[in-house]
Amino acid sequence: MNTKENQRYEIEYAYILEHYTIEALQERFGVWYSEAQKFIQKKGLNEYATINSRRLGYAVCDYFADMIRMKEFHGIDHANLNKVYAYSSYWFLRRQPIQLVSNVEKDTDLYINELFIVNNLIAKLKGHCTHQEIIQKQALLEMAHLWFYNFKFRIFTAQSLEVAICSFFAANGNRSTMKI
């Protein structure tokens, strides 16, 4: 990368450091990178996929930029869990940091970023439910298939993801994450 491109990247996102520490950005990057790497390994796609650090860096910066705008607009200090999951998923999907480096055997693996986010969201949502017995495996599977389909073929926004996540928590009786 040449110096001019690097300066543009730093200038566009420099204001984020007025609101968050570099450590917070690095921590979010590290978590996303680690979760994506574990997913690639679990799927057995180590030789087919890699994580593009630059794309992931942009996803992290875009996420934090949205958090800043949202907090300033709504006059809030902290985003609720619905927003965190929705906006992070949205920017991961927009930036597509998991890149295929060779042909995969299954067509579904062509949508590796979408698969990752669906799996990541389902795991996180299940982990936060207070009434685990209410969650039905079939309902989760249907939701996962619907999200995967929508991420591949439909228009979605961070806001529509937030509504879906909030609906899931509401349906499962978990109001602790629905703070407004």
Side-chain angles (χ1 to χ4, degrees):
M1 169 168 82
N2 68 38
T3 307
K4 193 173 190 177
E5 286 178 14
N6 193 28
Q7 287 174 342
R8 182 171 170 250
Y9 178 77
E10 291 173 9
I11 292 169
E12 286 179 10
Y13 293 110
Y15 72 94
I16 294 173
L17 295 177
E18 296 170 15
H19 302 271
Y20 294 97
T21 64
I22 190 72
E23 291 81 17
L25 277 73
Q26 290 170 335
E27 180 182 347
R28 181 62 50 111
F29 180 95
V31 167
W32 288 4
Y33 190 94
S34 175
E35 288 176 353
Q37 191 62 44
K38 286 176 189 171
F39 178 76
I40 291 169
Q41 290 171 352
K42 184 179 175 184
K43 294 274 299 164
L45 296 173
N46 291 3
E47 62 187 77
Y48 302 101
T50 188
I51 302 167
N52 183 308
S53 294
R54 188 158 183 90
R55 284 178 175 258
L56 184 58
Y58 274 113
V60 169
C61 288
D62 289 333
Y63 164 79
F64 279 106
D66 264 1
M67 290 291 111
I68 292 167
R69 285 190 288 272
M70 181 183 47
K71 288 177 181 180
E72 288 176 351
F73 181 79
H74 293 292
I76 57 175
D77 292 327
H78 302 285
N80 64 33
L81 200 55
N82 304 328
K83 287 182 183 355
V84 171
Y85 289 166
Y87 281 79
S88 59
S89 297
Y90 175 78
W91 283 112
F92 196 98
L93 289 169
R94 286 283 303 205
R95 293 300 186 175
Q96 302 277 311
I98 303 175
Q99 300 286 295
L100 295 175
V101 293
S102 63
N103 289 331
V104 290
E105 293 178 24
K106 297 188 298 185
D107 283 349
T108 54
D109 291 336
L110 293 172
Y111 300 96
I112 192 165
N113 290 283
E114 292 81 355
L115 280 170
F116 168 71
I117 290 299
V118 167
N119 280 282
N120 189 275
L121 277 174
I122 294 293
K124 287 181 176 175
L125 295 181
K126 280 177 61 176
H128 286 285
C129 284
T130 55
H131 300 91
Q132 289 292 328
E133 67 278 0
I134 295 174
I135 301 172
Q136 296 179 7
K137 187 175 182 177
Q138 186 59 35
L140 277 177
L141 189 58
E142 289 174 16
M143 188 170 69
H145 286 291
L146 182 61
W147 269 346
F148 186 58
Y149 179 84
N150 277 274
F151 292 156
K152 289 188 324 187
F153 301 116
R154 299 286 183 249
I155 296 171
F156 61 91
T157 64
Q159 296 84 358
S160 65
L161 285 174
E162 182 182 357
V163 169
I165 293 165
C166 186
S167 298
F168 175 85
F169 282 130
N172 287 288
N174 189 334
R175 297 198 177 278
S176 65
T177 57
M178 296 174 20
K179 298 173 187 166
I180 296 178

